[in-house]
Amino acid sequence: MSPTPEHEFIEVRASGIHGLGAFARRNLSRGQALGRYEGRRYAPHEHGERDWDHALTYVFALSDGTIIDGSDGGNATRHLNHSCAPNCAAYEVEDEDGGSHIVIEAKRRIRAGEELFIDYALDVGDNDPGEYACHCGHARCRGTMVADGQTSSR
């Protein structure tokens, strides 16, 4: 898969963690922005109209209740897999015009060819965190993609 201009840093290919993954096309510096998470936006009142695939989702929730669905009009950033020890982070950023978007940024230096990961930190409400198993294999793996701290009270 060839990169789009705004995601020249990311190559999508098979991942040893899950399905397709995003990999660094070149060495990346700590703090380097890799691009925006793109996709169709759903306003808070539209969430119920979407038939979400709970087995494979590409969604980000923004603080205003909007959801970005990377499976519809998304880009290479949707292929960042989860890790409990991620090398990237996702930040909500406000535009000059007041709109919000998600930016993916390197948390540390990343070598060309490394798989790029974020911590999904899922909020699953009352659902069982065990239903959201993590397969990152890291020594500090929580065993779930659910946000740290949500599992201790269950």
Side-chain angles (χ1 to χ4, degrees), residues 17 81-89 107-108 110 114-121 134-145:
I17 302 294
N81 281 318
H82 166 84
S83 174
C84 295
N87 54 10
C88 294
K107 289 179 64 170
R108 61 167 174 79
I110 298 171
E114 268 188 79
E115 187 164 2
L116 304 171
F117 296 103
I118 58 174
D119 184 343
Y120 287 0
C134 175
H135 304 286
C136 74
H138 195 276
R140 296 185 314 233
C141 181
R142 301 190 294 271
T144 180
M145 294 182 286

Side-chain angles (χ1 to χ4, degrees), residues 10-118:
I10 299 172
E11 176 181 5
V12 177
R13 64 177 193 253
S15 167
I17 302 294
H18 180 262
L20 294 175
F23 294 80
R25 294 179 59 79
R26 60 180 66 148
N27 292 335
L28 304 170
S29 303
R30 180 177 185 232
Q32 184 169 359
L34 306 181
R36 285 187 185 192
Y37 189 88
E38 301 286 348
R40 179 172 175 192
R41 289 178 177 248
Y42 289 90
H45 67 278
E46 295 177 307
H47 297 180
E49 298 173 20
R50 175 71 159 89
D51 183 23
W52 301 105
D53 175 358
H54 295 286
L56 182 63
T57 58
Y58 298 104
V59 297
F60 259 102
L62 299 174
S63 60
D64 67 358
T66 300
I67 288 182
I68 302 173
D69 181 1
S71 70
D72 187 355
N75 55 25
T77 60
R78 75 176 183 229
H79 294 290
L80 272 83
N81 281 318
H82 166 84
S83 174
C84 295
N87 54 10
C88 294
Y91 298 102
E92 184 173 343
V93 178
E94 190 173 310
D95 291 341
E96 309 80 45
D97 61 358
S100 293
H101 61 270
I102 300 293
V103 172
I104 308 297
E105 184 177 288
K107 289 179 64 170
R108 61 167 174 79
R109 290 180 53 200
I110 298 171
R111 292 182 319 257
E114 268 188 79
E115 187 164 2
L116 304 171
F117 296 103
I118 58 174

